[in-house]
């Protein structure tokens, strides 16, 4: 009856249960789905950044055999509302964002016409047969220029390109005036493209006789989509099913209800047939959210010893041409976390958000927090340099100390707990900071330029519900249901929607641990709103922090009930029961025991065979709402050598010491950090979604948008500290975004440290060889 | 046009439009959807299959060009429900997250196995030049390929 006790599963490097089918090519991504009679939807997109549509002739396309329908923006506006944006928030001047442009296009890639055809080749042929005449208007893609009076205005009704303005923080004016010294700078966190390897896609299937609509969607939040699609389509939500099948990466770019996806659902309803829309990569570069796109003017009031007394940002945030669902949240999050890992008494950000003729922005791994970390960590280096202090000393002097938690920042964020020094000390020790500084001096004498970059990051994950919020992504709870079948195996239904994070495995670990089972005894179900009654989704490093906590609590409830039932069957006091290796034993008599399988089978009996008041079945559902955000933190240190002949920056060493709180599966935590580092280093050195003066994107395919390849990246040295969080029962902090947050400032600080002796004082990302080389030439001149 | 080829060891006959891409033929006609499409400019490698024993990007090959050829896709790799040693190494080293790039990564790195000298990390990274992953940061992919090479 007993088997060998399974190892402790919390903190175990369990191989992922998700993997075998993905490895065997048996995954099921949205484009893999083929339904009988399915039509293909294709979108014609604007080649201009800003233009009036003078003529739109779809007659030739309509006449092509195999074409079922062609729609223009005007056609659709007859029966479709504008797409939801800016979370439906009060006070936001959200301009209408039509499913397809009506009379005017505002960015390259905006949809202009839609074709419904029998297959993708015919749809493409039809797309080519649509004739559009545009009256090209002046465009503006630089947010700074967009605010000038001469700039072309995108939305006539708003009258200017100002999207919204907001101040977050306390008084900084007096504090700055009273500071010993004011140090000023300007930093840009450039526009980038999240770029999951799977583009977006949807299959929509309306079954009129059942009155049921199913949408398979490459999304990170099927439940949010279900609510949003129902509201948008005025379709009864209880008859709507959204399925996130296997999703090939998302990184924040797949939690917006996009125009094409809503259109696919609307047209399936209208035509009563299944249809598929799959985004091509070159469409993806234009039509899926871009991200970051923030710039700050910094004024820091400091003492000569490096203490920061006051900090003020004027932050310009580029919204793109329209709001996506939570575009407006990015700069607010940056402002809320502007003080980073530091204790700064006076801090405030004045946000100016701007519409430009560019792709709308929205979340990307580290949303708002990567920007905040970049700005404060660059500021710390600037302060050190201006005051002639070591970058380490300035950080140490301002870092929040372990005894200062919980710590409320002037921008209203509460850091719940942490130990920032621990990560910093460990990083420096592993890096051999002093030794590397000596090495740097030696190399410099030999004409080689090595730089050291440090970033201490502190941010937040696992958001709680927004008070009074009824908008998009304002619910912070997550739900989990744990049930044991008659054979003693477990099914867990979770409301998050993992797509690479490994949450199926960590969920199985958490639950199996409670019963002394193995992870393979637990099956995890997610991503289908017909199978999962309620949930929110996977975003903001919340899956384990919030969802995992719901799972833990549900498993504990089921465990307690099983113990009560076992005690009843053994006729002992529940406090006498020890549960180990899926067996309940009598603590007073080790010979007596009953297997989980037996207890589980018995739980299906009628109430008369159960303890008084106990309901049949071993099952519990828990909805967990976090008390606050978790504080996530760490220190990244890297050494970068710059070849001054070519401007190329090569990362010699990269150390990331991050605190995930309780790490359920360290291998998966490290994997998350690796992936984030790759994206962060990509942003620092290679990636940038820039536009020319006419608003034409300069990076519209993977040919000219440089996501890192294997040979572009170093070997990462990743280590975890485990300081348990105080705001959830798991003690987890959320780790999904640490790499993408820490890497850009660490790398840029290192490159600028390398170039300091040459007189290069400032560079904006991406630090491409060309940009670095030019800066060296200018400094020499 | 008529084509006849072998796919994962099985003979296949089909009538195809001359412009049909091999990747669409495999995915949509043969329902071998393990081969993925990640781009439209031959940059990502998600569509990598073996054509007469050599790794090719099936998005840049027409189905008609595969006439008379022997194709292996990711589905042809795991014999009788057992993962191929390279696939097993990917799981062991946590070399996949979302899994979208994975079939292409595996088909591309298969060529490195069974060589007299085990490639070092730099060579493995160079060999993966045609394949992109946005999830893993490549470190564990490199480790998986190295592990499989050491064992082959
Ligand atoms: S699909 Fe990207 S290279 Fe073939
Ligand atoms: S595992 Fe997601 S792209 Fe490689």
């Amino acid at each position: 009856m007993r088997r060998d006790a399974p190892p402790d599963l919390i903190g175990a490097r369990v191989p992922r249960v998700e993997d075998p089918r993905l490895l065997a090519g048996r995954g099921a991504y949205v484009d893999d789905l083929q339904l009988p009679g399915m039509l293909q939807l294709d979108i014609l997109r604007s080649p201009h950044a800003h233009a009036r549509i003078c003529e739109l002739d779809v007659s030739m396309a309509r006449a092509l055999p195999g074409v079922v329908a062609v729609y223009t923006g005007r056609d659709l506006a007859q029966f479709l509302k504008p797409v939801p944006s800016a979370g439906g928030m009060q006070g936001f001047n959200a301009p209408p964002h039509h499913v397809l442009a009506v009379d005017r296009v505002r960015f390259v890639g905006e949809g202009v016409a839609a074709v419904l055809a029998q297959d993708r080749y015919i749809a493409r042929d039809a797309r080519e047969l649509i004739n559009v005449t545009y009256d090209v208007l002046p465009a503006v893609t630089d947010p700074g220029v967009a605010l000038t009076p001469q700039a072309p205005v995108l939305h006539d009704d708003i009258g200017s390109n100002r999207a919204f303005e907001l101040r977050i923080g306390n008084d900084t004016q007096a504090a700055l005036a009273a500071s010993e010294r004011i140090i000023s700078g300007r930093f840009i966190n450039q526009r980038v493209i999240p770029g999951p390897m799977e583009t977006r896609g949807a299959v929509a299937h309306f079954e009129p006789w059942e009155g049921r609509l199913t949408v398979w969607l490459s999304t990170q939040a099927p439940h949010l989509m279900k609510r949003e699609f129902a509201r948008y389509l005025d379709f009864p939500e209880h008859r709507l099913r959204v399925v996130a099948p296997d999703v090939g990466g998302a990184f924040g770019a797949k939690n917006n209800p996009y125009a094409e996806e809503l259109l696919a659902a609307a047209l399936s309803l209208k035509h009563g047939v299944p249809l598929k829309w799959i985004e091509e990569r070159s469409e993806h570069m234009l039509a899926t959210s871009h991200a970051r796109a923030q710039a700050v003017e910094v004024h820091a009031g400091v003492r000569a010893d490096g203490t920061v007394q006051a900090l003020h940002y004027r932050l310009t945030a580029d919204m793109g041409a329209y709001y996506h669902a939570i575009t407006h949240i990015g700069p607010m999050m940056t402002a809320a976390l502007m003080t980073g890992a530091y204790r700064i008494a006076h801090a405030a950000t004045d946000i100016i958000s701007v519409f430009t003729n560019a792709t709308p922005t929205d979340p990307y791994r580290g949303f708002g927090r990567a920007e905040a970390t970049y700005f404060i960590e660059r500021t710390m280096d600037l302060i050190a340099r201006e005051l002639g202090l070591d970058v380490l000393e300035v950080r140490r002097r301002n870092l929040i100390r372990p005894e200062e938690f919980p710590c409320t920042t002037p921008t209203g964020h509460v850091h719940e707990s942490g130990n920032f020094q621990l990560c910093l000390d460990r990083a420096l020790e592993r890096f051999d900071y002093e030794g590397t500084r000596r090495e740097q001096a030696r190399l410099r004498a030999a004409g080689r330029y090595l730089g050291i970059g440090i970033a201490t990051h502190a941010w937040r994950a696992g958001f709680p519900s927004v008070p009074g919020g009824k908008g998009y992504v304002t619910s912070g709870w997550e739900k989990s249901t744990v049930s044991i079948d008659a054979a003693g195996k477990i099914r867990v239904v979770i409301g998050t929607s993992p797509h690479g994070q490994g949450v199926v495995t960590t969920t199985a670990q958490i639950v199996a641990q409670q019963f002394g089972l193995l992870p393979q005894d637990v099956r995890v179900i997610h991503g289908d709103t017909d199978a999962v009654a309620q949930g929110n989704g996977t975003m903001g490093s919340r899956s384990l922090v919030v969802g995992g906590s719901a799972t833990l609590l549900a498993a504990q409830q089921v465990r307690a009930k099983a113990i009560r039932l076992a005690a009843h069957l053994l006729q002992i006091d529940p406090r006498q029961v020890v549960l180990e290796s899926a067996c309940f034993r009598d603590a007073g008599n080790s010979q007596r025991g009953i297997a989980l399988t037996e207890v589980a089978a018995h739980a299906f009996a009628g109430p008369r065979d159960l303890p008084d008041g106990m309901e049949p079945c071993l099952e519990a559902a828990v909805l967990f709402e976090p008390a606050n955000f978790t504080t996530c933190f760490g220190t990244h240190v890297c050494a970068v050598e710059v070849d001054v002949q070519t401007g190329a920056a090569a990362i010699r060493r990269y150390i990331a010491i991050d605190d995930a709180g309780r790490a359920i599966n360290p291998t998966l935590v490290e994997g998350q950090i690796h992936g984030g580092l790759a994206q962060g280093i990509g942003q620092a050195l290679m990636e940038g979604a820039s536009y020319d003066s006419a608003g034409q994107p300069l990076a519209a395919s993977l040919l000219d948008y440089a996501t890192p390849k294997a040979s572009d990246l170093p070997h990462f040295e990743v280590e975890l500290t485990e300081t348990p969080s105080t705001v959830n029962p798991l003690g987890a902090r959320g780790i999904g975004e640490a790499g993408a947050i820490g890497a850009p400032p660490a790398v840029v600080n290192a490159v600028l440290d390398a170039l300091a002796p040459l007189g290069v004082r400032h560079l904006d990302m991406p630090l491409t060889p060309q940009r670095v080389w030019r800066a060296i030439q200018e400094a020499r001149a | 046009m008529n084509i006849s080829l072998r796919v994962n060891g099985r003979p296949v006959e089909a009538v195809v439009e001359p412009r049909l891409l091999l990747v669409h033929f495999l995915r949509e006609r043969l329902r071998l959807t393990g081969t993925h499409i990640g781009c439209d400019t031959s940059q990502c490698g998600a569509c990598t299959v073996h054509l007469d024993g050599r790794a090719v990007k099936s998005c840049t090959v027409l189905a008609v060009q595969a006439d008379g050829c022997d194709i292996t896709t990711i589905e042809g790799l795991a014999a009788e429900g057992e993962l191929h040693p390279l696939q097993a190494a990917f799981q062991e080293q946590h070399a996949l997250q979302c899994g979208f790039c994975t079939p292409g990564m595996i088909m591309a790195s298969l060529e490195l196995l069974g060589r007299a000298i085990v490639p070092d990390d730099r060579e493995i990274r160079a060999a993966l030049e045609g394949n992109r992953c946005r999830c893993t940061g490549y470190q564990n992919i490199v480790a998986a390929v190295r592990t499989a090479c050491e064992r082959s």
Side-chain angles (χ1 to χ4, degrees):
Chain A
M1 179 170 85
R2 276 201 61 196
R3 52 182 165 182
D4 288 340
D8 192 351
L9 287 172
I10 304 301
R13 294 180 178 272
V14 174
R16 290 207 322 177
V17 298
E18 291 91 332
D19 290 353
R21 45 187 286 281
L22 298 175
L23 285 163
R26 267 41 170 225
Y29 301 85
V30 67
D31 195 18
D32 300 346
L33 190 67
Q34 219 162 289
L35 299 174
M38 187 168 74
L39 300 179
Q40 190 87 19
L41 174 66
D42 205 349
I43 310 284
L44 176 73
R45 299 181 183 279
S46 167
H48 301 294
H50 201 185
R52 236 181 285 285
I53 300 171
C54 302
E55 234 187 280
L56 183 45
D57 179 4
V58 299
S59 54
M60 291 211 323
R62 273 198 186 125
L64 189 75
V67 171
V68 173
V70 182
Y71 293 97
T72 66
R74 276 186 173 229
D75 299 337
L76 295 178
Q78 306 293 316
F79 64 99
L80 288 179
K81 300 183 269 204
V83 301
S85 62
M89 272 181 65
Q90 293 280 308
F92 280 82
N93 231 345
H97 180 191
H98 296 287
V99 180
L100 294 175
V102 176
D103 299 338
R104 183 149 151 203
V105 291
R106 294 182 177 86
F107 67 97
V108 173
E110 184 167 1
V112 169
V115 175
L116 208 50
Q118 267 155 16
D119 71 36
R120 69 170 89 217
Y121 285 71
I122 297 171
R124 177 72 64 80
D125 289 342
R127 200 172 84 176
E128 308 291 314
L129 290 174
I130 298 171
N131 272 317
V132 196
T133 320
Y134 294 96
D135 174 14
V136 177
L137 302 168
V140 60
T141 55
D142 179 321
V145 177
L147 289 171
T148 60
Q150 315 81 277
V153 171
L154 271 80
H155 302 286
D156 300 339
D157 289 350
I158 297 177
S160 86
N161 294 322
R162 268 164 213 261
F164 70 92
E165 294 179 31
L166 192 68
R167 183 181 165 90
I168 294 178
N170 61 5
D171 178 53
T172 50
Q173 220 171 3
L176 277 173
S179 308
E180 281 178 29
R181 219 182 127 174
I182 294 178
I183 290 170
S184 305
R186 184 179 153 78
F187 303 113
I188 299 173
N189 201 289
Q190 84 274 30
R191 177 180 273 266
V192 293
I193 299 178
M197 287 317 301
E198 181 204 30
T199 58
R200 287 183 298 126
V203 170
H205 186 195
F206 178 55
E207 293 156 286
W209 292 105
E210 293 192 52
R212 190 171 81 147
L213 173 65
T214 305
V215 184
W216 289 266
L217 198 61
S218 184
T219 180
Q220 48 195 103
H223 282 92
L224 295 184
M225 294 303 158
K226 175 170 68 85
R227 286 177 234 155
E228 224 40 52
F229 274 53
R231 185 156 36 196
Y232 177 77
L233 299 165
D234 290 318
F235 190 86
E237 191 180 326
H238 67 296
R239 297 190 174 280
L240 178 60
R241 173 184 176 211
V242 176
V243 184
D246 286 316
V247 172
F251 313 115
K254 292 180 183 171
N255 68 17
N256 176 58
Y258 283 92
E260 304 90 340
E261 301 164 4
L262 296 163
L263 179 60
L267 292 182
S268 181
L269 281 177
K270 187 172 162 69
H271 290 263
V273 290
L275 60 90
K276 181 190 269 188
W277 172 72
I278 298 295
E279 187 182 48
E280 289 156 28
R281 175 61 59 184
S282 37
E283 291 183 278
H284 178 88
M285 308 305 278
L286 308 172
T288 296
S289 305
H290 290 182
R292 311 282 193 250
Q294 294 185 5
V296 286
E297 276 166 41
V298 181
H299 296 288
V302 298
R303 275 209 295 262
D305 67 0
T307 305
V308 183
Q309 297 166 292
L311 184 66
H312 181 263
Y313 290 168
R314 187 186 136 94
L315 187 159
T316 310
D318 180 358
M319 306 283 97
Y322 304 96
Y323 288 122
H324 274 177
I326 54 173
T327 305
H328 58 298
I329 303 287
M332 296 186 207
M333 199 108 83
T334 304
L337 293 161
M338 65 179 288
T339 50
Y342 310 105
R343 178 192 346 92
I344 300 172
H346 300 274
T349 296
D350 282 299
I351 300 170
I352 303 172
S353 288
V354 188
F355 291 119
T356 60
N357 291 111
T359 300
T361 54
D362 220 23
Y364 173 38
R365 203 174 205 169
F367 188 38
R369 295 148 299 167
E371 294 91 321
T373 304
Y374 183 73
F375 298 144
I376 187 69
E377 289 304 299
R378 289 288 302 114
T379 299
M380 285 293 160
D381 266 35
L382 182 70
I383 291 169
R385 181 182 280 204
E386 293 286 322
L387 297 177
L389 300 171
D390 189 295
V391 292
L392 192 53
E393 193 183 331
V394 174
R395 286 183 170 80
R396 281 211 195 281
R397 192 167 298 281
N398 293 288
L399 221 50
I400 299 170
R401 291 188 300 269
E403 66 277 12
E404 290 175 310
F405 295 99
C407 174
T408 305
T409 71
T411 50
H413 173 70
V414 181
H415 281 302
E416 41 113 3
S417 65
N419 190 342
F420 302 168
Q421 281 76 4
L422 180 69
C423 292
L424 179 61
D425 291 344
R426 180 63 195 123
L428 297 172
E429 183 190 328
R430 182 158 177 173
F431 187 74
D432 182 15
Y433 184 70
E434 300 303 329
T436 313
R437 282 277 178 223
R438 286 194 295 275
E439 168 79 0
Q440 179 182 38
R442 252 199 318 277
L443 288 172
R444 258 175 213 179
R448 287 172 62 185
Y449 294 85
L450 186 79
I452 297 172
I454 302 179
T456 45
H457 61 85
W459 43 284
R460 67 193 191 185
F463 56 89
S465 296
V466 179
K470 291 190 207 75
Y472 191 75
V473 199
T474 50
S475 302
W477 51 264
E478 202 45 85
K479 193 177 171 190
S480 191
T481 307
V482 172
S483 53
I484 304 191
D485 64 27
K489 302 288 195 227
I490 303 185
R491 231 174 69 113
V492 189
V493 178
I494 59 172
T496 56
S497 188
H499 44 276
Q501 296 82 355
V503 169
V504 169
T505 301
T506 45
T507 300
Q509 285 178 254
I510 291 168
V511 174
Q513 170 82 12
Q514 288 297 317
F515 299 93
L517 289 166
L518 295 169
Q520 50 269 39
D521 296 324
V522 178
R523 179 161 166 249
V524 180
I525 291 159
H526 64 85
D528 179 342
T529 63
D530 265 10
V532 183
Q534 296 300 350
N536 279 297
T538 289
M539 65 204 66
S541 299
R542 70 189 295 275
S543 292
L544 192 64
V545 170
V546 187
S549 292
T551 298
L552 174 68
L553 295 174
Q556 284 171 341
Q557 283 187 15
V558 175
R559 184 181 196 272
K561 184 172 178 181
I563 286 176
R564 264 178 62 218
L565 181 53
H568 174 78
L569 296 172
L570 292 169
Q571 295 181 315
I572 56 174
D573 188 286
R575 283 166 299 192
Q576 285 269 104
V577 176
V578 184
L579 170 53
E580 268 178 11
S581 308
C583 183
F584 303 84
R585 284 187 303 105
D586 179 351
N589 177 357
S590 63
Q591 298 308 306
R592 291 193 70 218
I594 183 167
L596 174 62
T597 48
E598 266 177 74
V599 175
H602 194 91
F604 286 83
R608 272 186 300 274
D609 292 321
L610 299 173
D612 269 355
M614 182 181 278
E615 278 183 13
C617 298
L618 296 175
E619 176 170 295
V622 169
L623 191 147
F624 175 72
E625 165 73 28
N628 185 12
F629 293 96
T630 59
T631 293
C632 310
F633 57 93
T635 298
H636 293 196
V637 189
C638 66
V640 178
E641 185 170 356
V642 179
D643 179 340
V644 294
Q645 304 303 322
T646 63
I651 299 175
R652 296 281 174 240
R653 231 185 141 188
Y654 198 105
I655 293 175
I657 313 291
D658 287 307
D659 200 308
R662 197 83 188 89
I664 308 302
N665 186 329
T667 300
L668 304 191
V669 172
E670 289 156 8
Q672 285 297 301
I673 297 171
H674 289 175
L677 290 176
Q679 289 173 316
I681 292 170
Q683 179 173 15
L685 298 179
M686 304 166 68
E687 299 179 33
S690 48
Y691 290 85
D692 72 9
S693 58
Q696 285 298 322
L698 298 173
S701 76
L702 286 182
L703 266 173
D704 23 49
Y705 187 86
T707 58
K709 296 179 180 181
S711 56
D712 295 318
L713 295 169
H715 181 88
F716 311 122
E717 299 174 54
V718 173
E719 216 177 282
L720 306 176
T721 58
E722 292 194 50
T723 311
S725 163
T726 58
V727 296
N728 63 69
L730 269 182
R733 289 186 184 274
I735 197 66
E737 298 162 282
I741 288 173
V747 171
V748 173
N749 283 341
V751 171
L752 284 162
D753 184 50
L755 298 180
L758 298 171
V760 176
R761 305 184 68 79
H762 179 79
L763 276 169
D764 286 317
M765 300 186 288
L767 308 188
T768 56
Q770 191 190 28
R771 204 173 263 190
V772 171
W773 183 85
R774 196 170 293 152
I776 295 169
Q777 303 313 310
E778 278 164 17
R780 278 180 175 160
Chain B
M1 284 176 76
N2 276 305
I3 56 170
S4 73
L5 61 162
R6 290 179 77 79
V7 178
N8 297 331
R10 290 218 317 269
V12 173
E13 308 264 343
V15 181
V16 298
E17 257 192 276
R19 64 175 176 171
L20 183 69
L21 295 173
L22 178 59
V23 69
H24 287 145
F25 177 70
L26 293 170
R27 288 179 49 81
E28 286 167 16
R29 296 284 287 277
L30 304 187
R31 308 296 299 132
L32 293 170
T33 54
T35 302
H36 297 150
I37 302 171
C39 74
D40 45 14
T41 52
S42 269
Q43 296 289 303
C44 77
C47 62
T48 308
V49 299
H50 278 222
L51 190 146
D52 290 339
R54 287 196 36 237
V56 297
K57 292 180 172 173
S58 62
C59 73
T60 50
V61 178
L62 296 168
V64 292
Q65 289 175 292
D67 187 24
C69 295
D70 205 332
I71 307 280
T72 308
T73 70
I74 188 73
E75 288 91 344
L77 216 56
E80 286 135 36
E82 267 296 289
L83 291 180
H84 181 278
L86 182 57
Q87 291 169 315
F90 264 63
Q91 182 179 25
E92 182 188 308
Q93 299 293 329
H94 184 34
L96 64 155
Q97 290 184 24
C98 78
F100 196 79
C101 71
T102 311
M105 285 286 175
I106 289 177
M107 297 314 287
S109 46
L110 205 53
E111 288 187 326
L112 294 172
L113 268 62
R115 295 194 180 167
I117 300 167
V118 173
D120 64 20
D121 284 7
R122 182 191 288 260
E123 288 164 334
I124 295 171
R125 285 180 190 267
L128 294 176
E129 196 58 20
N131 292 69
R132 289 189 206 228
C133 173
R134 193 60 158 165
C135 296
T136 64
Y138 302 99
Q139 187 152 319
N140 292 347
I141 294 177
V142 173
V145 174
R146 191 193 333 107
T147 305
C149 286
E150 281 162 5
R151 289 180 189 156
S152 73

